[in-house]
Amino acid sequence: MEYRQLGRSGLRVSTLTLGTMTFGGQGNFAKVGSTGVDGARRQVDMALDAGVNCIDTADVYSAGVSEEIVGEVLEGRRERVVLATKARMSMGDGANDAGLSRTHLIKSVEASLRRLRTDYIDLYQVHEWDGQTPLEETLDTLDTLVRSGKVRYVGCSNYAGWQLMKALGISDRLGYQRFASQQIHVSLQAREAEYELVPASLDQGVGILVWSPLAGGLLSGKYRRGEEQPEGRQLSGWGEPPVRDEEALYSVVDVLLRVAETLGVSPAQVALAWLLGRPGVSSVIVGARTDEQLADNLAAAGLELADDQRAMLDAVSQPPLLYPYWHQANTASDRLSEADLSLIGPHLQVK
């Protein structure tokens, strides 16, 4: 297992992180998985044995049950892991039971600490944008939590590019803790994050944690062109991530299957290995309904793709250059930064 710096912070995380959205199986989250305490303990054991040092959860997963299970399973070995959780989503029916206000964040962190059976959270992430709470209030609260010792690092998730940059600018201007990371969705099936979020991370030194790297199982190899689809998250009504171009998806899957057959590994491992070689990625979050799925995902940590295999995957999944990027490719290619080239570079190579 390789360990990478989380952005510009001094924190090192394993290239694979154990995701726990499948823990609990309460309410709508039953569509994703229903792993109980015994199953969760096995999966955590497997992850730790493979060298994983980061576990990611959220207060909203199964209405807090995921955090409770993580806390129970980690008891006695809490210090071995970088423990990450999130807050923002609705946790009740009250007017202040959602969002990123000072009231909700403080209430949320105290509740997460109790459920996780710990007195500190290594990485506390705002789970989603809150356009009605001033960023100054949110960032001041997060800064206070770090200085109090209840939180070590802070991150964001699912922000737009301008929202991330606004937050970083306010933190720099007011001396608040900066986001060390952003947790975003990017995969061979959906590379929209490469337009703004990945270049912003490279430019600003923000680590990238990738959620749903297999696109809800779409890149696992079990969904194939012209075949009846098996039971899975995409058929359960979960709906994330959306599939906007089914033909493009199956074109990606065809290449995945070809590369996987050549290497003698699963398509899921190929998809994960591709992500681990992308610019700015600190860690890829893997979760699984079964122990077998998790074992297969964990094996991706040691998989190296050849340059030609990576090029095939890049080509079949490459997003088109939107404006102003096509214009910059045509007229500004002599003065592009590393961040710019993460998106524009491949298009220059084919000119």
Side-chain angles (χ1 to χ4, degrees):
M1 183 69 66
E2 179 188 351
Y3 300 90
R4 298 177 180 175
Q5 299 294 122
L6 189 64
R8 288 182 189 156
S9 79
L11 188 65
R12 292 184 179 179
V13 293
S14 47
T15 51
L16 295 180
T17 290
L18 179 64
T20 64
M21 193 164 65
T22 58
F23 291 5
Q26 302 295 306
N28 198 44
F29 286 89
K31 297 175 181 178
V32 178
S34 55
T35 304
V37 173
D38 291 342
R41 182 171 283 108
R42 286 197 306 273
Q43 292 196 2
V44 169
D45 288 346
M46 292 170 62
L48 294 180
D49 288 345
V52 170
N53 78 337
C54 188
I55 296 179
D56 180 75
T57 185
D59 59 1
V60 74
Y61 295 168
S62 289
V65 176
S66 175
E67 285 187 327
E68 291 175 353
I69 292 174
V70 170
E72 181 172 348
V73 169
L74 285 181
E75 196 158 30
R77 49 184 176 172
R78 163 68 182 91
E79 297 297 326
R80 292 183 58 184
V81 303
V82 173
L83 185 55
T85 191
K86 315 177 199 74
R88 154 63 174 90
M89 306 306 191
S90 178
M91 293 297 288
D93 297 327
N96 293 303
D97 286 341
L100 298 177
S101 67
R102 180 174 287 106
T103 292
H104 184 65
L105 277 176
I106 291 175
K107 180 179 179 180
S108 296
V109 76
E110 296 291 355
S112 289
L113 289 168
R114 287 193 298 271
R115 287 190 290 262
L116 291 167
R117 305 187 187 187
T118 185
D119 57 4
Y120 70 97
I121 294 164
D122 294 288
L123 178 62
Y124 198 52
Q125 303 156 104
V126 292
H127 204 160
E128 178 61 271
W129 175 250
D130 177 357
Q132 297 186 1
T133 299
L135 268 170
E136 289 84 354
E137 179 178 337
T138 299
L139 296 168
D140 178 52
T141 306
L142 293 173
D143 186 75
T144 300
L145 291 175
V146 172
R147 297 183 189 283
S148 73
K150 294 179 179 179
V151 170
R152 300 284 168 84
Y153 297 90
V154 294
C156 64
S157 183
N158 303 312
Y159 272 31
W162 71 266
Q163 295 161 351
L164 172 63
M165 291 303 298
K166 183 178 180 180
L168 295 173
I170 290 172
S171 292
D172 289 345
R173 175 167 57 86
L174 299 178
Y176 295 151
Q177 297 292 318
R178 279 176 128 245
F179 289 140
S181 63
Q182 59 168 336
Q183 189 174 139
I184 60 176
H185 176 61
V186 59
S187 73
L188 280 165
Q189 189 265 336
R191 294 175 60 179
E192 304 97 326
E194 295 181 9
Y195 288 118
E196 290 285 341
L197 294 173
V198 172
S201 274
L202 293 170
D203 182 71
Q204 294 294 310
V206 176
I208 294 174
L209 304 174
V210 177
W211 64 262
S212 198
L214 299 179
L218 292 172
L219 301 175
S220 66
K222 63 185 178 183
Y223 296 89
R224 304 191 182 191
R225 192 192 308 270
E227 296 185 10
E228 184 176 349
Q229 296 177 347
E231 180 62 28
R233 187 190 305 183
Q234 288 295 328
L235 301 182
S236 68
W238 183 251
E240 286 189 358
V243 179
R244 296 190 172 91
D245 188 335
E246 193 168 303
E247 277 305 303
L249 165 66
Y250 286 123
S251 294
V252 169
V253 171
D254 289 343
V255 176
L256 268 179
L257 292 169
R258 196 180 319 150
V259 173
E261 184 177 2
T262 299
L263 294 172
V265 299
S266 71
Q269 288 182 37
V270 174
L272 294 171
W274 177 83
L275 271 171
L276 289 174
R278 298 301 296 165
V281 172
S282 299
S283 187
V284 173
I285 301 170
V286 295
R289 288 173 177 261
T290 68
D291 295 353
E292 291 74 21
Q293 290 174 348
L294 180 60
D296 185 72
N297 290 344
L298 291 172
L303 180 62
E304 291 284 342
L305 299 180
D307 290 344
D308 62 328
Q309 294 166 340
R310 186 170 290 281
M312 290 168 57
L313 293 165
D314 289 346
V316 75
S317 63
Q318 185 170 274
L321 282 185
L322 304 177
Y323 176 81
Y325 308 113
W326 59 259
H327 198 276
Q328 292 173 1
N330 290 336
T331 63
S333 61
D334 59 326
R335 297 180 70 86
L336 295 177
S337 71
E338 177 188 3
D340 300 317
L341 290 170
S342 69
L343 173 68
I344 298 174
H347 295 269
L348 299 177
Q349 295 168 13
V350 299
K351 283 191 172 185

